[in-house]
Amino acid sequence: MTADQLTEYPNFFRVSDLCSLLESYLSEEQVKEVYRAYLFGAEAHDGQHRKSGEPYITHPLAVAKILADMRMDYHSIMAAVLHDVIEDTETVKEHIQSDFGEEVAELVDGVSKITQIRFNSDAEAQAENFRKMMLAMVRDIRVILIKLADRLHNMRTIGVMPPNKRRRIAKETLEIYVPLANRLGMNTMRLELEDLGLAALYPTRARVLREAVVRARGNRKEVIKKIETSIKRRLHQENLTGEVIGREKHLYSIYKKMKDKRLAFQEVFDVYAFRIIVDRVDTAYRVLGAMHNLYKPVPGRFKDYIAIPKANGYQSLHTVLFGPYGVPIEIQIRTEEMDKVAESGIASHWLYKTSNTNVSNTEANTRKWLHNVLEIQKSAGNSMEFIENVKIDLFPDEVYLFTPKGEILVLPRGATAVDFAYAVHTDIGNTCIACRIDRRLLPLRTPLFTGQTVEIITSEGATPNPAWLNFVHTAKARSNIRSYLKNLQQEEAVKLGRQMLDRALSRISKPLDEYKKKEIKPVLKEYNYKKLKHLLADIGLGNKLAPLVAQKFIQDEERTKLKRKERKKLKSKTVEPLLIKGTEGMVVSFAKCCHPIPGDAIIGFATTGKGIVIHTDACKNLGDYKKARDKLVEVDWEPGIDRDFLADLRLDVANRRGVLAVIAASISEMDSNIENIAMAERDGITTSMDITLTVRNRRHLARIIRRLRTNRSVTKIARRKG
Ligand code: MN
């Protein structure tokens, strides 16, 4: 498609028109770049047509014109010309990047991404979240401006759409795009989107209103002329200069006022509205004084938005006067600068700024706008809530995610699938086992990004994993996992405590289950426990020592007059050590200093709050512990344990290239995983390596060591135990 081929559609805006518009504020080079983008876009869309029959490229051109009228920089215009090529043609982002650079590619990609998220109009309450989500998805506010221009052109040409589609698009426009434009202070665009939205959503109401306006307008002409003349005369008398503009209310605002305030058309429309644009703030207030002198002001209707600006930075003086024949006159008075901001909002920072724009400039522009609004609000002593909101929206700390049903959940940035699961429901969190993110099966620890659809897979009987605590971000997930683990730990502690007390009692007396309730009661009372399980839990957690508790049972037995002789006999009994499986969970742990593995001689050490910590018999740290005899627990491995334990190896290896790779490969071939490696060069010839690896037992470890010894680079190898 070339420029010439478009001549058969004379009503449409052509690339030559765009270029001459651009020449008024861009350099020759920049206009050439836009033209190059046009050629690319026209070729990509070649053969595609709009619903109305025109070649597709007429749409991106029209979008570019809207932005050119806003004096947007040439990268934005190029991106506007290309805005549909990723979405609607074979073109990929990389292609745009290589042809037009990173910045244009990012803009086009950004527009495509927010085009892909579909607003589900059933979820009307979610409109606010949806808008936030759009803002959160873009790193560059120009993406939103391009999207707004795209929507504006689509609304201007919505007539060709079938009625149901028209209604859906119009609704979305009023719910999503109008508030976006409003939030960014872009009034001119907002007003047009509103009127187009109204006409498409309620064609009959819009037509009736339009006809009423046309009828009423005829009667008004003379009155308007008369008022305008008086205003101008008065300004002249007072030596004030200002441009007086008569204005008419937009259909949508008439419609809304009638609807919200239940007013008749005449009541809303019979208002004569003028705007006076002045040079300085000082003049604005003096013009206000002159107007209040000219006509009597309506009490309570004066608003000083210069001193106290509106949330989006809008500044103006508003007043209502009793005009001739008692008709109300609305007057807005503001400076040129304020008028510019009132019309274009954030885009006013591109207007008339013809200097070369680059990436840092656009963020600077965005920040400048935010800063301006902030300054305006600060000087006015107004609430800063709005600006906080906008800031959060533009530089978000949150991610916006879809459930499979299309609802939107908001989570803090960095949140994972587990956070998402708990946000949906505590039960979902507690039983989740996997997740699908945008239909791909991914680990639960995967961080989530705005716009993704997350589906949580649960399994009945599944339970939270303590490891989740390492990556969850939300308080809800954290506290639920913690409370689950606490309950679990409690159960495990009771179980372990029972075994420990049972052994301690068996050694000096009789097993725990041979004790009657009334024998146990005094012990509980002495320790101040209500129930046996509380005492057992504390033993399991290492807070109470089983041998000492057992002594109390004996003393009680004395009270029940157990014979001394009998006690002696009992005392000589030997008791089997506590068997360790390694699956006890949170009340049995393995010391990091010596990393015991099945086959090692081991000893347990009751540690306050942690239950039993298992060390190797040879661990150096035990020297200190051994003084506290009551805390030692005799333990042994349960036979046939089949799970992985950690062990430490120290290797001295010759400094040879690739030696680490060979060692790692050998370990992996021996069915073991390396968990950690630390290396230190000892001299020029030898490096010392500390490797932590997984093994099942001593035999497994011995095989690995034998295998590593066959490597000639390894000069020394030994297991490290504390
Ligand atoms: Mn488009």
Side-chain angles (χ1 to χ4, degrees):
M1 178 77 44
T2 67
D4 297 335
Q5 280 171 275
L6 279 176
T7 46
E8 54 181 299
Y9 302 95
N11 292 330
F12 285 89
F13 187 72
R14 275 170 289 177
V15 69
S16 51
D17 302 329
L18 177 66
C19 289
S20 45
L21 174 56
L22 293 175
E23 274 158 12
S24 68
Y25 74 98
L26 293 179
S27 74
E28 204 178 308
E29 244 86 285
Q30 293 174 334
V31 178
K32 267 193 190 144
E33 281 296 280
V34 173
Y35 188 75
R36 206 161 62 83
Y38 160 76
L39 292 177
F40 184 103
E43 194 182 313
H45 289 296
D46 189 25
Q48 296 179 341
H49 292 268
R50 295 278 283 172
K51 236 197 171 71
S52 48
E54 301 90 43
Y56 195 88
I57 192 68
T58 55
H59 162 65
L61 275 177
V63 174
K65 178 188 188 296
I66 293 168
L67 294 167
D69 284 335
M70 287 157 59
R71 297 285 190 277
M72 293 296 294
D73 63 293
Y74 78 108
H75 283 136
S76 304
I77 306 293
M78 289 168 75
V81 171
L82 298 169
H83 81 268
D84 275 332
V85 297
I86 292 183
E87 180 74 5
D88 293 339
T89 78
E90 305 282 288
T91 313
V92 293
K93 182 186 171 189
E94 288 67 30
H95 197 168
I96 300 175
Q97 190 172 341
S98 65
D99 277 29
F100 301 103
E102 178 76 28
E103 201 177 331
V104 175
E106 281 296 331
L107 288 172
V108 176
D109 191 49
V111 175
S112 309
K113 278 199 181 116
I114 56 177
T115 303
Q116 277 163 11
I117 53 173
R118 294 256 178 259
F119 176 61
N120 174 7
S121 52
D122 299 337
E124 205 171 308
Q126 302 253 350
E128 173 67 21
N129 272 344
F130 193 83
R131 287 195 298 273
K132 280 190 182 171
M133 180 160 170
M134 283 180 84
L135 286 169
M137 277 181 78
V138 300
R139 259 172 293 153
D140 189 329
I141 193 68
R142 290 178 299 177
V143 168
I144 295 286
L145 301 187
I146 297 168
K147 190 65 205 169
L148 280 168
D150 175 44
R151 177 51 58 112
L152 181 58
H153 183 246
N154 283 336
M155 286 302 293
R156 283 176 182 170
T157 55
I158 200 172
V160 295
M161 291 288 175
N164 62 334
K165 218 169 175 187
R166 226 184 293 166
R167 271 193 300 275
R168 186 184 68 75
I169 297 172
K171 199 158 181 269
E172 186 181 275
T173 300
L174 291 174
E175 279 172 7
I176 306 294
Y177 292 92
V178 161
L180 265 182
N182 187 37
R183 174 161 269 187
L184 299 176
M186 302 166 71
N187 268 321
T188 311
M189 177 164 303
R190 171 180 64 88
L191 291 169
E192 190 176 349
L193 285 175
E194 280 179 346
D195 282 359
L196 291 168
L198 177 71
L201 193 56
Y202 305 115
T204 317
R205 293 179 221 187
R207 199 192 58 222
V208 170
L209 268 182
R210 205 177 305 117
E211 285 165 5
V213 167
V214 171
R215 263 200 312 278
R217 205 183 274 153
N219 314 328
R220 288 159 51 99
K221 264 199 187 130
E222 250 171 57
V223 184
I224 291 174
K225 193 82 210 143
K226 190 179 153 85
I227 298 171
E228 198 179 318
T229 312
S230 336
I231 292 176
K232 280 181 176 163
R233 195 187 306 131
R234 178 54 63 102
L235 291 181
H236 187 71
Q237 281 166 6
E238 306 270 336
N239 235 346
L240 294 164
T241 40
E243 192 193 346
V244 181
I245 306 159
R247 41 183 204 100
E248 202 164 73
K249 279 213 150 55
H250 282 256
L251 284 191
Y252 188 75
S253 72
I254 298 171
Y255 169 74
K256 270 212 85 177
K257 265 210 173 120
M258 288 172 65
K259 194 166 159 253
D260 295 349
K261 300 192 174 165
R262 297 167 179 276
L263 296 171
F265 173 75
Q266 288 303 327
E267 292 173 276
V268 178
F269 192 72
D270 260 3
V271 173
Y272 294 79
F274 294 87
R275 182 173 302 151
I276 306 175
I277 309 293
V278 298
D279 55 348
R280 303 200 311 269
V281 170
D282 173 65
T283 317
Y285 285 104
R286 293 204 290 142
V287 168
L288 177 77
M291 290 305 104
H292 281 190
N293 255 331
L294 177 63
Y295 299 113
K296 214 173 111 182
V298 177
R301 296 292 300 274
F302 167 62
K303 291 209 180 75
D304 188 347
Y305 292 122
I306 289 181
I308 303 171
K310 280 197 184 174
N312 57 13
Y314 174 89
Q315 284 186 292
S316 189
L317 298 176
H318 287 190
T319 190
V320 181
L321 311 167
F322 290 112
Y325 326 114
V327 297
I329 308 172
E330 274 181 17
I331 296 193
Q332 301 177 343
I333 308 163
R334 57 196 185 223
T335 66
E336 263 172 65
E337 179 73 32
M338 290 171 187
D339 195 48
K340 210 167 73 186
V341 173
E343 279 180 3
S344 316
I346 195 165
S348 65
H349 284 281
W350 275 275
L351 269 172
Y352 313 117
K353 288 191 183 73
T354 58
S355 59
N356 286 335
T357 324
N358 54 40
V359 182
S360 57
N361 237 334
T362 101
E363 193 165 317
N365 274 341
T366 308
R367 285 183 191 280
K368 199 151 71 191
W369 175 71
L370 287 170
H371 183 76
N372 268 15
V373 177
L374 186 64
E375 277 305 305
I376 292 167
Q377 304 228 342
K378 221 193 309 185
S379 65
N382 201 357
S383 145
M384 286 181 202
E385 200 177 312
F386 166 81
I387 196 68
E388 286 306 319
N389 280 335
V390 175
K391 253 193 210 160
I392 288 163
D393 286 355
L394 295 182
F395 310 107
D397 293 323
E398 289 169 331
V399 288
Y400 299 84
L401 303 153
F402 287 111
T403 67
K405 282 181 189 157
E407 281 161 42
I408 298 171
L409 287 185
V410 187
L411 291 173
R413 191 207 292 244
T416 61
V418 172
D419 294 294
F420 185 91
Y422 276 105
V424 175
H425 197 280
T426 304
D427 290 344
I428 306 271
N430 281 335
T431 57
C432 69
I433 52 164
C435 67
R436 281 198 191 90
I437 300 173
D438 288 339
R439 299 214 194 89
R440 278 182 57 213
L441 207 55
L442 287 164
L444 285 169
R445 59 162 58 235
T446 313
L448 303 172
F449 293 98
T450 290
Q452 289 177 329
T453 300
V454 184
E455 184 192 344
I456 298 295
I457 300 161
T458 58
S459 165
E460 214 179 320
T463 56
N465 182 337
W468 293 350
L469 286 172
N470 297 326
F471 58 76
V472 294
H473 254 71
T474 53
K476 184 172 183 196
R478 192 170 296 278
S479 70
N480 272 304
I481 298 167
R482 283 225 177 99
S483 90
Y484 171 81
L485 291 180
K486 210 170 165 210
N487 282 334
L488 187 68
Q489 193 187 32
Q490 200 69 17
E491 278 171 36
E492 285 173 351
V494 170
K495 217 166 119 193
L496 181 69
R498 180 180 297 279
Q499 286 179 298
M500 290 167 77
L501 182 61
D502 190 49
R503 275 176 177 71
L505 282 172
S506 301
R507 186 167 295 125
I508 54 175
S509 161
K510 57 185 181 183
L512 180 62
D513 55 10
E514 286 177 23
Y515 279 86
K516 294 191 185 75
K517 258 202 173 136
K518 66 170 198 275
E519 292 175 288
I520 296 173
K521 225 176 166 185
V523 182
L524 293 180
K525 204 173 169 193
E526 188 169 344
Y527 280 119
N528 223 349
Y529 286 107
K530 279 208 178 75
K531 286 183 172 159
L532 178 62
K533 73 171 183 190
H534 297 147
L535 171 63
L536 295 177
D538 261 354
I539 293 172
L541 287 169
N543 298 334
K544 284 270 177 306
L545 299 172
L548 298 184
V549 175
Q551 292 299 325
K552 302 281 179 196
F553 278 75
I554 298 300
Q555 282 160 24
D556 284 318
E557 275 184 281
E558 276 177 343
R559 261 175 250 146
T560 56
K561 296 188 183 82
L562 193 81
K563 279 178 196 158
R564 199 185 173 84
K565 201 172 69 186
E566 226 171 306
R567 265 184 61 201
K568 250 187 186 160
K569 200 179 84 197
L570 287 166
K571 218 171 186 174
S572 62
K573 271 208 286 187
T574 55
V575 175
E576 291 290 309
L578 192 64
L579 292 184
I580 298 297
K581 283 188 289 223
T583 53
E584 287 78 3
M586 279 155 298
V587 286
V588 173
S589 56
F590 298 93
K592 288 194 176 66
C593 48
C594 52
H595 278 151
I597 58 174
D600 288 339
I602 48 173
I603 193 147
F605 193 79
T607 311
T608 311
K610 283 166 99 181
I612 301 177
V613 179
I614 309 292
H615 291 262
T616 64
D617 212 9
C619 180
K620 286 176 195 131
N621 289 340
L622 270 183
D624 300 333
Y625 296 152
K626 272 182 174 156
K627 288 170 201 151
R629 291 222 63 91
D630 287 334
K631 294 194 169 189
L632 293 177
V633 184
E634 276 178 53
V635 290
D636 202 351
W637 300 99
E638 183 156 303
I641 298 174
D642 186 25
R643 57 167 292 226
D644 282 337
F645 293 82
L646 293 177
D648 296 313
L649 287 182
R650 170 161 292 174
L651 283 74
D652 285 351
V653 297
N655 278 343
R656 236 170 254 158
R657 223 150 40 110
V659 64
L660 176 60
V662 176
I663 287 171
S666 307
I667 289 173
S668 155
E669 277 164 29
M670 295 304 291
D671 209 10
S672 163
N673 293 312
I674 296 175
E675 293 281 316
N676 189 39
I677 291 186
M679 287 203 283
E681 198 176 277
R682 291 230 310 244
D683 44 54
I685 308 156
T686 319
T687 296
S688 146
M689 268 184 213
D690 286 339
I691 301 178
T692 306
L693 72 175
T694 60
V695 295
R696 279 187 297 283
N697 48 43
R698 278 172 74 94
R699 290 223 315 276
H700 185 202
L701 180 64
R703 283 205 308 276
I704 294 170
I705 291 175
R706 269 205 302 280
R707 170 68 181 266
L708 290 174
R709 281 218 174 98
T710 63
N711 187 327
R712 270 181 295 147
S713 302
V714 178
T715 53
K716 205 171 144 196
I717 182 165
R719 178 172 173 206
R720 288 167 60 231
K721 287 186 277 185

